[in-house]
């Protein structure tokens, strides 16, 4: 069991007082079997009441409404988390899904729905051709195939931190041969969907207390990865940035169909296009008990 304290702060500074519109926050870690949320708190400056709801994927959403103008907005979320995920998980994949290709049950197929559909155009079939290059036999081991694709992404591309908003398309990442963790997650999900598999993007935090993982300069950072639904095992995490399988170093906040649905803080303000002076984000993850 690993006990952690996670602090995520987002700060906006404005050149002049602005009127803040409603802000949508996705900051509360998801509780799953291997991740227990002991406590969670959000502090806002200026202070405001938060309205909590859940979206269609059961992600926790908070909405902040502001009354007065301000030249400063600070959002600090603090979580205490217990993690029990192993670094070398064994996945109990159903016998009929251990080899690819396989078919989902009718119920699974209906429920997975849009998570099996491609969301980026590939008129020349370039992405499909790239994905098929990892299939060396038919049938082939399902988990090994997905691991090979994940490793193939990190071998073909160079990881780069990108602070600007937006995400590259899968083909852009392949063409540029570089990208951020969210670009790698989008590419992996698109590759899995090319195989007819249900896949989703996960946004959350990378726990890097050992200091050896890509995507974090310190003990932790915001991060993005992918999950694929494999019958028997359920949702299996793949992190192409670090060539890892399983959630041993990952804390999920949101599971989404596409990356733009997983913005941690989203909102608008009224006060001029040049009013935003700076935005900064800081994440700290410390071990409190081992």
């Amino acid at each position: 069991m690993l006990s952690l304290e996670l602090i995520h702060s987002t700060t906006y500074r404005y050149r002049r007082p602005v009127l803040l519109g409603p802000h949508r926050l996705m900051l509360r870690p998801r509780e799953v079997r291997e991740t227990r949320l002991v406590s969670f708190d959000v502090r806002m400056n200026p202070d405001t009441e938060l309205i909590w709801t859940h979206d269609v994927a059961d992600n926790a959403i908070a909405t902040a409404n502001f009354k007065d103008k301000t030249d400063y907005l600070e959002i600090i979320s603090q979580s205490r988390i217990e993690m029990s995920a192993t670094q070398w998980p064994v996945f109990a994949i159903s016998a009929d899904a251990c080899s690819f290709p396989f078919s989902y049950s009718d119920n699974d197929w209906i429920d997975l729905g849009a998570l099996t559909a491609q969301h980026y155009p590939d008129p020349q079939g370039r992405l499909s051709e790239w994905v098929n290059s990892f299939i060396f036999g038919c049938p082939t081991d399902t988990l090994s195939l997905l691991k090979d694709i994940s490793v193939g992404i990190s071998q073909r591309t160079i990881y780069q931190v990108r602070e600007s908003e937006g995400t590259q398309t899968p083909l852009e990442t392949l063409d540029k041969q570089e990208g951020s963790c969210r670009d790698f997650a989008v590419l992996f999900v698109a590759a899995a969907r090319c195989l007819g598999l249900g896949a989703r993007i996960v946004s959350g935090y990378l726990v890097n207390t050992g200091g050896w993982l890509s995507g974090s300069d310190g003990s932790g950072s915001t991060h993005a990865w992918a999950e694929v639904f494999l019958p028997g095992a359920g949702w299996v995490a793949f992190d192409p940035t670090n060539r890892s399988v399983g959630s041993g170093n990952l804390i999920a906040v949101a599971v989404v169909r596409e990356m733009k649905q997983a913005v941690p803080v989203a909102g608008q303000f009224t006060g001029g296009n040049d009013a935003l002076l700076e935005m900064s984000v800081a994440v700290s993850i410390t071990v409190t008990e081992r």
Side-chain angles (χ1 to χ4, degrees):
M1 182 72 70
L2 186 64
S3 297
L4 304 169
E5 181 181 49
L6 189 160
I7 300 175
H8 180 173
S9 63
T10 305
T11 304
Y12 298 86
R13 298 182 185 277
Y14 304 94
R15 300 180 189 277
R16 65 188 72 92
V18 300
L19 182 62
L20 299 173
H23 277 57
R24 181 178 184 269
L25 313 180
M26 297 181 72
L27 297 169
R28 188 182 193 275
R30 291 172 63 94
E31 285 199 81
V32 295
R33 181 175 58 85
E34 296 173 329
T35 304
R36 176 174 175 259
L37 185 61
V38 179
S39 64
F40 175 75
D41 181 58
V42 178
R43 302 191 303 274
M44 307 279 291
N45 186 5
D47 189 26
T48 184
E49 182 180 359
L50 297 178
I51 300 173
W52 287 94
T53 59
H54 287 82
D55 65 10
V56 68
D58 203 33
N59 301 308
I61 309 295
T63 301
N65 294 292
F66 303 91
K67 296 180 180 179
D68 301 321
K69 288 187 175 183
T70 182
D71 61 359
Y72 179 83
L73 172 61
E74 183 179 45
I75 305 166
I76 300 176
S77 66
Q78 184 171 6
S79 308
R80 290 189 176 273
I81 296 168
E82 292 181 348
M83 297 181 66
S84 60
T86 177
Q87 297 295 321
W88 305 102
V90 176
F91 301 103
I93 302 173
S94 298
D96 57 359
C98 284
S99 295
F100 178 86
F102 68 88
S103 297
Y104 290 119
S105 69
D106 290 343
N107 283 335
D108 284 347
W109 186 257
I110 292 171
D111 291 337
L112 289 169
L115 297 179
T116 64
Q118 279 293 4
H119 293 83
Y120 296 92
D122 183 24
Q124 298 176 333
R126 294 173 53 211
L127 179 62
S128 297
E129 182 180 359
W130 181 77
V131 173
N132 290 334
S133 70
F134 293 94
I135 303 175
F136 301 108
C138 191
T140 190
D141 184 79
T142 302
L143 188 59
S144 295
L145 172 59
L146 292 169
K147 287 180 179 178
D148 287 346
I149 293 173
S150 179
V151 171
I153 291 173
S154 61
Q155 287 179 334
R156 174 166 181 152
T157 56
I158 299 172
Y159 171 77
Q160 288 192 340
V161 177
R162 195 177 72 251
E163 300 295 341
S164 60
E165 295 182 0
T167 306
Q168 296 173 178
T169 69
L171 291 180
E172 285 176 335
T173 300
L174 290 177
D175 289 341
K176 293 181 178 180
Q177 299 184 23
E178 63 182 32
S180 65
C181 61
R182 61 185 184 271
D183 300 321
F184 294 171
V186 167
L187 174 55
F188 182 89
V189 165
R193 290 171 179 170
C194 275
L195 299 173
L197 302 179
R200 62 190 186 184
I201 294 168
V202 190
S203 176
Y205 302 99
L206 176 68
V207 180
N208 191 28
T209 54
W212 55 273
L213 297 172
S214 298
S216 173
D217 293 329
S219 61
S221 68
T222 56
H223 196 54
W225 61 98
E227 288 182 344
V228 177
F229 185 78
L230 299 178
W235 289 103
V236 177
F238 293 85
D239 181 7
T241 303
N242 290 291
R243 306 186 184 185
S244 64
V245 182
S247 55
N249 297 296
L250 304 170
I251 299 173
V253 170
V255 295
V256 294
R257 175 171 43 86
E258 53 183 334
M259 195 70 241
K260 66 181 182 181
Q261 298 173 307
V263 179
V265 179
Q268 298 180 335
F269 65 87
T270 302
N273 294 333
D274 65 336
L276 180 61
L277 185 62
E278 65 174 350
M279 183 194 79
S280 60
V281 177
V283 175
S284 169
I285 299 178
T286 57
V287 178
T288 57
E289 179 182 342
R290 191 180 290 273

